[in-house]
Amino acid sequence: AQSVTQLGSHVSVSEGALVLLRCNYSSSVPPYLFWYVQYPNQGLQLLLKYTTGATLVKGINGFEAEFKKSETSFHLTKPSAHMSDAAEYFCAVSEEGSQGNLIFGKGTKLSVKP
Amino acid sequence: GAGVSQSPSNKVTEKGKDVELRCDPISGHTALYWYRQSLGQGLEFLIYFQGNSAPDKSGLPSDRFSAERTGGSVSTLTIQRTQQEDSAVYLCASSLGRAKNTEAFFGQGTRLTVV
């Protein structure tokens, strides 16, 4: 069965600092991986996704993530945090051969200090 | 409409009552998902509809929960005999096809409070 683990339910960084949100997955077959962002009182919005091909994926708002099969990881990074990045971030996996539903991690709330 | 629409946006109900939550997906989207978001629990998968295939109900937490999708479009999530632990935000999403290939678009959710 697929599962997603996000290390750290809450991450706090200073404005301008590196953002690193961790995501590890368990999957018996090559997965498809996603990061979603949820701003306060809003629905989820896709940041980026990995399906096949290049393992470094660039998304919106300057975020990127790298798929590392050997580490079963898909960590999300951004070189310089902005106040507007404060939100909750969810990593999700969908498995080839499954019905296609997304399995989400429990989320990481990112705070950005001025 | 332009996006996934959910109604009501907020629902307060008494314990033991039944509730119905509605989701209008984006027109033309064949896939529709329901998730439950509880404090500290992240997004819990409930049920998934894909075209005319039998729905994946593996995430429904009990037989008090059911969902249907009429005409391949609007979906209704029904919770019977609500309990306090059912209090959560219920999110609906839709996508053009299977999630692995296309982006899932989420509604803003229905916040259910059982008192």
Side-chain angles (χ1 to χ4, degrees):
Chain A
Q2 307 162 69
S3 67
V4 178
T5 302
Q6 290 185 241
L7 199 62
S9 59
H10 196 170
V11 170
S12 182
V13 300
S14 297
E15 191 172 20
L18 171 71
V19 176
L20 171 60
L21 305 182
R22 299 178 186 273
C23 173
N24 288 87
Y25 65 91
S26 72
S27 175
S28 58
V29 295
Y32 297 87
L33 296 157
F34 307 81
W35 276 99
Y36 281 81
V37 60
Q38 186 178 34
Y39 297 102
N41 300 314
Q42 294 188 27
L44 276 75
Q45 178 184 1
L46 181 68
L47 265 182
L48 50 80
K49 67 178 180 182
Y50 168 79
T51 53
T52 59
T55 55
L56 182 63
V57 181
K58 295 187 184 298
I60 61 172
N61 302 336
F63 284 93
E64 61 182 38
E66 187 171 10
F67 169 57
K68 291 189 177 180
K69 185 179 178 181
S70 61
E71 298 177 7
T72 60
S73 70
F74 191 56
H75 302 330
L76 182 71
T77 60
K78 181 173 180 177
S80 176
H82 193 272
M83 297 295 290
S84 61
D85 295 326
E88 191 155 18
Y89 293 80
F90 293 91
C91 183
V93 63
S94 178
E95 197 171 75
E96 178 73 46
S98 76
Q99 287 236 45
N101 54 297
L102 293 169
I103 304 298
F104 284 85
K106 292 193 175 183
T108 297
K109 185 165 286 189
L110 175 67
S111 299
V112 182
K113 300 175 291 188
Chain B
V4 177
S5 177
Q6 292 188 245
S7 60
S9 55
N10 282 283
K11 176 73 177 179
V12 180
T13 190
E14 291 181 353
K15 179 181 171 181
K17 301 274 188 177
D18 297 352
V19 294
E20 285 189 352
L21 311 180
R22 177 186 169 103
C23 173
D24 280 275
I26 293 172
S27 178
H29 280 193
T30 59
L32 187 147
Y33 320 76
W34 282 99
Y35 290 88
R36 178 168 69 177
Q37 186 174 24
S38 307
L39 196 62
Q41 294 299 313
L43 274 80
E44 177 188 8
F45 166 72
L46 296 178
I47 188 168
Y48 167 59
F49 297 88
Q50 174 59 55
N52 295 321
S53 302
D56 177 357
K57 303 180 182 181
S58 60
L60 294 178
S62 77
D63 59 8
R64 296 187 295 106
F65 287 72
S66 62
E68 62 177 23
R69 188 178 185 191
T70 54
S73 181
V74 172
S75 177
T76 302
L77 177 69
T78 301
I79 309 173
Q80 295 178 310
R81 306 181 301 282
T82 51
Q83 304 295 312
Q84 287 187 329
E85 61 263 27
D86 299 334
S87 296
V89 176
Y90 290 82
L91 292 168
C92 176
S94 71
S95 64
L96 270 174
R98 291 173 180 252
K100 62 187 181 185
N101 295 326
T102 62
E103 178 178 352
F105 292 83
F106 282 78
Q108 293 196 324
T110 294
R111 183 176 298 276
L112 176 67
T113 304
V114 182
V115 297

